[in-house]
Amino acid sequence: MLDAKMPEAWRVLRIQSELVDGIERLITLKGAVTVFGSARFPEEAAEYQEGLRLGELLAREGVPVITGGGPGIMEACNRGAFCQSGESIGLSIELPHEQLPNAYLDINLNFRYFFVRKFMFVKHAMGFIAMPGGYGTLDELFEALTLVQTRKVRRFPIVLVGKQYWAGLVDWMRNTVLTRGCIDADDLSLFTLVDTVDEAAQIIIEFIRECDGEAR
C-alpha cells in the first residue's frame, strides 16, 4: 500500500516545485497582459500579423506580454514585444505532440501541469486578450471569465479580438445560455468584443493607467 502511494507523493512535490519556480521567476513582473490564441496560424496568416502588432503596441507602453510560449499567435505576440525591447514571457506546457518554446522569450517557464500554468497566467495579469483559437484558447477564456464572475480575482478587462470569429459563440451565449437562465445578463458584460488589436490594446492600456492612478 505504501509503495502504491509513493508516486502520488512525488507528484505533489513536482507540483510544488513548479509553483515555487514560477512564482520566483516572475516575482518582479508587474502589470502584465496575458494573450491567448491558436498555435496553428503560420507567419503569413493575417492573425499572426495581428498578434505581432499587438505585442508591439503593448511593449511600446511598457506592458509585459505573457503567452503560452508556443508557435502561431503566441509566437507573434512574443515576437512583437521582444522586438520592441518589451518584456516577453512564455509559459510553455509539455504536450504529447512536442511543442517547442518560440524564439522570442525573455523568460520561458515549462510546465507539466495545466492547472499550475493557468495559475501563473492569472497571477500577474491585469487583463486578458483572446485572439482566434481552439480548445486551449476557449478553455483559458472561460477560466478567466469564471474567475471574474465568481470574484475569485478582481475584475479586469477580458477582450475578444475578431468580431466575425467570435460572433457565433457570443450569439449562442446570449440566445441560448442566457435565455435558459444559465448565466445572468450582467455576465455578458464581463468581456468586450472588438475588431482590431489596436482597440484591444487601448482598452488594456487605459485600464492599467487607471489602476496606476488609483495606486498613487
Side-chain angles (χ1 to χ4, degrees):
M1 180 65 73
L2 181 60
D3 289 345
K5 290 182 177 179
M6 285 304 293
E8 294 300 318
W10 283 111
R11 185 172 292 114
V12 170
L13 290 175
R14 284 199 299 266
I15 291 168
Q16 183 181 40
S17 175
E18 287 195 357
L19 282 167
V20 171
D21 184 49
I23 290 169
E24 286 189 346
R25 293 282 301 279
L26 302 179
I27 196 168
T28 61
L29 195 62
K30 303 294 182 184
V33 172
T34 298
V35 182
F36 303 126
S38 177
R40 303 187 183 194
F41 288 115
E43 185 174 351
E44 60 270 17
E47 291 82 0
Y48 185 103
Q49 296 302 316
E50 284 286 279
L52 188 65
R53 176 164 175 76
L54 177 60
E56 292 172 350
L57 290 170
L58 294 172
R60 287 171 190 167
E61 295 293 329
V63 179
V65 174
I66 300 173
T67 78
I73 287 177
M74 294 176 283
E75 176 184 292
C77 291
N78 286 133
R79 180 178 177 181
F82 188 85
C83 292
Q84 291 293 323
S85 300
E87 292 182 89
S88 176
I89 297 93
L91 308 183
S92 305
I93 186 79
E94 295 178 15
L95 298 173
H97 50 286
E98 186 175 7
Q99 181 174 294
L100 297 176
N102 67 66
Y104 305 99
L105 303 172
D106 297 305
I107 299 174
N108 177 58
L109 299 176
N110 189 46
F111 294 91
R112 182 187 182 108
Y113 300 101
F114 268 111
F115 70 90
V116 180
R117 182 181 184 234
K118 285 182 177 180
F119 171 76
M120 294 300 166
F121 276 141
V122 174
K123 181 172 174 57
H124 299 282
M126 294 192 69
F128 281 13
I129 297 176
M131 297 188 67
Y135 284 164
T137 299
L138 291 170
D139 175 42
E140 290 150 351
L141 169 61
F142 281 105
E143 176 88 7
L145 288 170
T146 301
L147 289 171
V148 174
Q149 180 202 44
T150 56
R151 300 182 184 179
K152 293 300 182 182
V153 298
R154 68 170 291 183
R155 184 163 180 171
F156 50 62
I158 299 172
V159 187
L160 312 185
V161 179
K163 289 182 177 179
Q164 185 176 3
Y165 187 85
W166 294 107
L169 175 63
V170 174
D171 287 344
W172 172 73
M173 291 172 66
R174 181 179 295 113
N175 298 328
T176 301
V177 184
L178 175 61
T179 300
R180 296 295 301 274
C182 296
I183 58 173
D184 296 328
D186 288 346
D187 293 332
L188 292 175
S189 70
L190 298 180
F191 63 87
T192 304
L193 182 61
V194 301
D195 245 343
T196 68
V197 294
D198 296 69
E199 295 172 276
Q202 192 60 37
I203 290 170
I204 297 293
I205 291 164
E206 288 179 1
F207 177 76
I208 291 174
R209 286 174 179 168
E210 288 175 7
C211 292
D212 287 344
E214 292 173 4
R216 295 192 190 98

